[in-house]
Amino acid sequence: MKLYDYILSPSCYKVRLMAALIGVKLDLRPVDFHPGGEHRSPELLALNPAGSIPILEDGDLILTESSAILVYLAAKVAPEWLGSGKAKEAARVQQWLSFSGRLTASLGTARLHEMLLRPGNIGALQALGTAALRELEAGLVEQGLRGMRFLASDRPTIADIACFPYAALAPDGGVTLDAYPAIRLWSRALRALDKFIEMPGIHRLHELKPEPQIEAGEA
Amino acid sequence: MKLYDYILSPSCYKVRLMAALIGVKLDLRPVDFHPGGEHRSPELLALNPAGSIPILEDGDLILTESSAILVYLAAKVAPEWLGSGKAKEAARVQQWLSFSGRLTASLGTARLHEMLLRPGNIGALQALGTAALRELEAGLVEQGLRGMRFLASDRPTIADIACFPYAALAPDGGVTLDAYPAIRLWSRALRALDKFIEMPGIHRLHELKPEPQIEAGEA
């Protein structure tokens, strides 16, 4: 399986993270995603006319939506990451997969604005991102009341992987996570998973890392 | 199951169409979705802070993403609409569920601009909509080469229901479907399904209806 990948793309990181967690080896093909980069080359536009990455290629299958790639990896190797398959849980997984698009459109675009000077109304993007983070926080609090630590279930699913990167990188777009204790707790639970990988080069991802010594001292 | 519904919303129509096709009776609760309407009322904002419809309520389950509602209805009553569950087919279903958000953001927003004077750069929205329709057309042509008439399989799935309304209503946003024979053929195949329902009040949905006599004459 070949992944057309850009190391600083949170959407590509979703795929790398999922693959790492379930032990899938990807054939990484780095793409220059800066403005004017090769994601607009004829080769890549033939694979994905939308000009976006990640792109996963496996034989005659080409997937260009990160949520679809998560479904594919999980369905192939680790179906427990799709949820139990019961109607309510399947619906909750899809609710957050669809919702993740709102994180990308708001926090992701704010991040590109701040980091790559992509044009946009930064105030409006941050307001949309804040609204989305409030919904994510409320969803996690509700799950907590049901005794569940993750977005759709008591164990992590592709829904968590779809929402985690753009939420965790909100500060890159100028939106703080200070007001969202449930999101921070959930981020720690994801980071504590066996085989979790960080997104390289992103300092802020490290700031929320579990600090067992300090926590033990506080307890 | 209660559906907060607006008769002229293509996203609500997705849910009504799915329910009709699989024989689920919904308790419809009409919502005034015009600017300043009750979708911004405290009652509805408590259900969905994003202020969007459809909203499906079933006991303690509240779903606010149309794709998640499609998953829920199908998983409960007619799981064959989720696809076969094989990894490639599951991934293709998700690819088009995610893609459907791009139809909504482009063609859907162009339609709101034309019909409800929602602000926006209509030229840019139409260009994005055209790009999305080209991808949909290409996807259907590719499926045709595999001998399949629908987006993810040889039989219809929730992926088709998620993409159909905004594609079929493209002309409402000023984007013609003339250049997309595969989309027109696929629309006819969907309209020919047993228990298919139209979206009331939308004349253009009728224009592409199957006309068996004329087709027989041409054959």
Side-chain angles (χ1 to χ4, degrees):
Chain A
M1 277 186 286
K2 189 192 280 188
L3 179 69
Y4 292 81
D5 178 53
Y6 175 53
I7 198 78
L8 291 182
S9 153
S11 295
C12 293
Y13 168 58
K14 294 180 191 181
V15 179
R16 295 195 308 271
L17 174 57
M18 183 82 251
L21 289 168
I22 63 178
V24 167
K25 177 106 184 64
L26 295 170
D27 172 17
L28 293 184
R29 161 76 163 74
V31 174
D32 172 12
F33 198 68
H34 283 81
E38 71 167 319
H39 59 297
R40 294 266 165 212
S41 71
E43 180 204 348
L44 287 187
L45 286 177
L47 286 173
N48 183 15
S52 64
I53 48 173
I55 304 168
L56 188 88
E57 201 180 358
D58 190 17
D60 75 332
L61 182 72
I62 293 166
L63 299 171
T64 60
E65 298 281 354
S66 60
S67 292
I69 302 175
L70 297 182
V71 165
Y72 186 58
L73 296 179
K76 250 184 112 103
V77 176
E80 66 275 18
W81 281 84
L82 299 173
S84 68
K86 282 180 197 160
K88 277 193 183 181
E89 197 168 316
R92 286 198 174 107
V93 168
Q94 185 61 49
Q95 170 79 18
W96 293 110
L97 287 186
S98 297
F99 170 86
S100 72
R102 287 178 48 210
L103 293 175
T104 311
S106 56
L107 298 173
T109 311
R111 180 171 172 269
L112 290 176
H113 182 277
E114 298 293 273
M115 295 178 70
L116 297 177
L117 309 175
R118 164 101 46 115
N121 179 340
I122 185 69
L125 292 168
Q126 289 171 338
L128 286 170
T130 299
L133 286 175
R134 281 190 191 137
E135 282 182 57
L136 185 62
E137 177 81 7
L140 286 164
V141 167
E142 229 174 79
Q143 282 290 90
L145 296 175
R146 291 187 195 106
M148 300 194 181
R149 285 179 309 151
F150 296 97
L151 278 171
S153 167
D154 191 35
R155 44 158 298 135
T157 66
I158 54 173
D160 300 288
I161 306 304
C163 291
F164 170 69
Y166 283 105
L169 290 163
D172 278 353
V175 176
T176 167
L177 290 171
D178 289 350
Y180 310 108
I183 292 177
R184 296 206 307 278
L185 203 65
W186 165 74
S187 295
R188 288 186 180 206
L190 288 170
R191 286 203 168 81
L193 293 174
D194 189 35
K195 300 189 212 157
F196 179 88
I197 56 167
E198 292 285 351
M199 187 164 142
I202 300 295
H203 175 65
R204 288 194 184 85
L205 271 179
H206 293 271
E207 288 174 3
L208 295 169
K209 261 200 152 173
E211 292 152 5
Q213 290 83 1
I214 296 174
E215 284 178 355
E218 287 171 350
Chain B
M1 276 185 284
K2 189 193 279 188
L3 178 70
Y4 293 81
D5 178 52
Y6 176 53
I7 198 78
L8 292 181
S9 152
S11 294
C12 293
Y13 168 59
K14 293 179 190 180
V15 179
R16 294 196 308 271
L17 174 57
M18 184 81 250
L21 289 168
I22 63 178
V24 167
K25 177 106 185 65
L26 295 170
D27 172 17
L28 293 184
R29 162 77 163 74
V31 174
D32 172 13
F33 198 66
H34 283 82
E38 71 168 318
H39 60 295
R40 293 266 167 211
S41 70
E43 180 204 348
L44 288 186
L45 286 177
L47 286 173
N48 183 14
S52 64
I53 49 173
I55 305 169
L56 188 89
E57 201 180 357
D58 190 17
D60 75 331
L61 182 73
I62 293 165
L63 299 171
T64 61
E65 297 282 353
S66 60
S67 291
I69 303 176
L70 298 182
V71 165
Y72 186 58
L73 296 179
K76 249 184 112 104
V77 176
E80 66 276 17
W81 281 83
L82 299 172
S84 69
K86 281 182 196 159
K88 276 194 183 180
E89 197 169 315
R92 287 198 173 110
V93 168
Q94 186 62 50
Q95 171 78 19
W96 293 110
L97 287 186
S98 297
F99 170 86
S100 71
R102 286 178 49 210
L103 293 176
T104 310
S106 57
L107 298 173
T109 311
R111 181 171 171 269
L112 290 177
H113 182 277
E114 298 293 272
M115 294 178 70
L116 297 178
L117 308 175
R118 165 100 46 114
N121 179 340
I122 184 68
L125 292 169
Q126 289 171 338
L128 287 170
T130 299
L133 286 175
R134 280 190 191 136
E135 282 181 57
L136 185 62
E137 177 81 6
L140 286 165
V141 167
E142 228 173 81
Q143 282 290 91
L145 295 174
R146 292 186 194 107
M148 300 193 181
R149 285 178 309 150
F150 296 97
L151 278 170
S153 166
D154 192 34
R155 46 158 297 138
T157 67
I158 53 173
D160 300 286
I161 306 302
C163 290
F164 170 69
Y166 283 105
L169 290 163
D172 277 353
V175 176
T176 167
L177 290 171
D178 290 351
Y180 311 109
I183 292 178
R184 295 206 309 276
L185 203 65
W186 165 75
S187 295
R188 289 186 179 207
L190 288 171
R191 286 203 167 82
L193 292 174
D194 189 35
K195 301 189 212 157
F196 178 88
I197 55 167
E198 292 285 350
M199 186 165 142
I202 300 296
H203 174 66
R204 287 194 184 85
L205 272 180
H206 294 269
E207 288 175 3
L208 294 170
K209 263 200 153 173
E211 293 151 3
Q213 290 82 1
I214 295 174
E215 283 181 358
E218 286 172 351

